[in-house]
Amino acid sequence: MRNYPTLQDIHDARERVKPHIRHTPLLRADKIEKKLGCELYLKPETLQVTGAFKIRGALNKVLSLPREETAKGLISSSSGNHAQALAYVAKMLGVKVVLVLPVTTPKLKITNTEALGAEVILFDGDNASRWKQVYDIAERNNYTVVHGFEDPLVMAGQGTMACEILEDLPDVSTVIVPVGGGGLISGVATALKELKPSVRVIGTEPALTPKYYHSRLNGEPTSLPLLDTIADGLRLSVPGRNPYPIIEKYVDEIVLVDDAHIVEGMQVLARDAKLIAEPAASIGIGALLAGSISLAPGEKVCAILTGGNWDLSSLADVYNRL
């Protein structure tokens, strides 16, 4: 099997998932764009089923599997949003799902995942140890592993978002994508560059977990010490094996954003766009506010807001800082 998605895979994914997801709108961010000198559009996957984009990839992968395979059960690991998506899909199909989550996962994401009927196992260890646990459990129980960013069918599902962006804003110049494991930007960049090569694709990574940024500098996948960042959904120290070459092929630039600007992005989205976005989703706005992305006057820019699942008490703390 190929370890990358093709444009045809993304078109197929769109037909497969279309009955089950929302075509999220593009919202003009008039107040925010005045500070930036561009035309700014927001793609609020915060309004998506399960509150995040991850439902696209999880649905595409699972609906691609033979029914007798899914009936045996599904398993994965996630910082939260992929877990909720897979739990939603499993409930929709009436099959068992086990999610191995880091102990640092926000409580809201754990609660939402359990409420969908998933079995949640909290794991205190690094990413590699957690995935070893996943594959051990899968082998013992004959479950199917649905990886949140290494699987090309998951990437293809995430890439359906790019098709919507181009339909709604055909003359978009730049698309800004948060980068965690790399599955989202791999799918989105593949679709954008294959359909409209002139579109600039910019990845945004937390300055505290700059794995793809340093991998590009070093010319090879580079692992870094795992440091804490407020953007828990992007907290990984190892670049994805399959996303890395796709990102190198299609992504024009990767910029780093410190936690202070990520928080500012959250605040500005709430105040000026009336949107609740978790830190991982706000990183692109943070990059724009920090001046980390060069913009031409009047340039049409789309920032993907990946999700809005974060504990209300934590959100309140961020907003109170205003």
Side-chain angles (χ1 to χ4, degrees):
M1 181 179 176
R2 292 189 315 273
N3 56 5
Y4 60 90
T6 65
L7 183 59
Q8 187 59 53
D9 291 333
I10 294 168
H11 285 316
D12 292 344
R14 191 161 189 214
E15 293 306 309
R16 192 175 288 123
V17 305
K18 190 182 290 186
H20 309 287
I21 67 166
R22 296 179 184 135
H23 178 139
T24 52
L26 276 191
L27 304 177
R28 181 82 177 265
D30 306 76
K31 289 185 178 179
I32 302 174
E33 68 182 27
K34 289 176 183 176
K35 304 179 180 71
L36 305 174
C38 67
E39 285 187 24
L40 179 61
Y41 297 83
L42 306 175
K43 180 68 169 169
E45 289 289 290
T46 52
L47 307 179
Q48 188 54 265
V49 177
T50 73
F53 76 95
K54 292 282 191 176
I55 189 67
R56 296 173 182 266
L59 264 171
N60 187 52
K61 171 63 177 180
V62 176
L63 293 180
S64 301
L65 296 170
R67 179 64 182 177
E68 57 270 21
E69 185 175 341
T70 58
K72 295 173 184 176
L74 308 169
I75 188 169
S76 191
S77 182
S78 159
S79 62
N81 283 330
H82 178 63
Q84 291 178 75
L86 196 57
Y88 180 94
V89 176
K91 183 178 182 180
M92 184 180 86
L93 297 177
V95 300
K96 181 178 177 61
V97 63
V98 177
L99 284 312
V100 182
L101 308 185
V103 293
T104 54
T105 303
K107 291 180 181 177
L108 179 68
K109 294 181 180 181
I110 296 171
T111 301
N112 288 350
T113 303
E114 290 178 327
L116 288 165
E119 178 185 341
V120 171
I121 299 172
L122 295 179
F123 186 83
D124 188 6
D126 62 22
N127 190 57
S129 301
R130 184 157 34 96
W131 276 102
K132 183 179 184 305
Q133 173 93 329
V134 168
Y135 283 104
D136 286 347
I137 295 172
E139 186 175 357
R140 289 197 303 269
N141 296 277
N142 208 21
Y143 297 151
T144 295
V145 177
V146 181
H147 202 292
F149 55 85
E150 294 283 11
D151 193 301
L153 287 172
V154 171
M155 296 183 210
Q158 322 302 26
T160 61
M161 196 189 311
C163 299
E164 295 177 6
I165 292 170
L166 289 175
E167 280 184 10
D168 296 342
L169 190 66
D171 54 348
V172 63
S173 300
T174 297
V175 177
I176 303 171
V177 190
V179 181
L184 170 62
I185 197 168
S186 294
V188 166
T190 297
L192 289 173
K193 289 296 190 179
E194 292 293 330
L195 290 168
K196 190 178 180 185
S198 63
V199 175
R200 184 170 55 144
V201 181
I202 296 180
T204 46
E205 264 193 318
L208 291 170
T209 57
K211 57 205 170 297
Y212 283 107
Y213 180 87
H214 281 283
S215 294
R216 176 162 288 189
L217 286 179
N218 296 335
E220 62 181 6
T222 302
S223 301
L224 299 169
L226 185 60
L227 300 177
D228 200 14
T229 169
I230 192 169
D232 60 279
L234 309 179
R235 187 177 178 267
L236 285 168
S237 62
V238 182
R241 182 180 67 258
N242 292 332
Y244 171 73
I246 302 170
I247 290 170
E248 287 305 290
K249 179 179 180 181
Y250 286 125
V251 175
D252 296 283
E253 188 179 353
I254 299 171
V255 301
L256 301 182
V257 189
D258 60 38
D259 275 20
H261 283 111
I262 294 173
V263 167
E264 185 183 3
M266 294 176 69
Q267 294 169 336
V268 167
L269 283 167
R271 185 187 64 209
D272 295 340
K274 312 308 177 191
L275 290 171
I276 295 175
E278 62 186 276
S282 309
I283 190 170
I285 302 301
L288 289 168
L289 295 171
S292 301
I293 298 172
S294 60
L295 299 171
E299 182 175 349
K300 293 189 177 182
V301 178
C302 173
I304 294 174
L305 308 183
T306 47
N309 297 316
W310 223 47
D311 293 332
L312 289 178
S313 59
S314 299
L315 285 168
D317 179 58
V318 167
Y319 297 151
N320 281 336
R321 297 182 207 174
L322 280 169

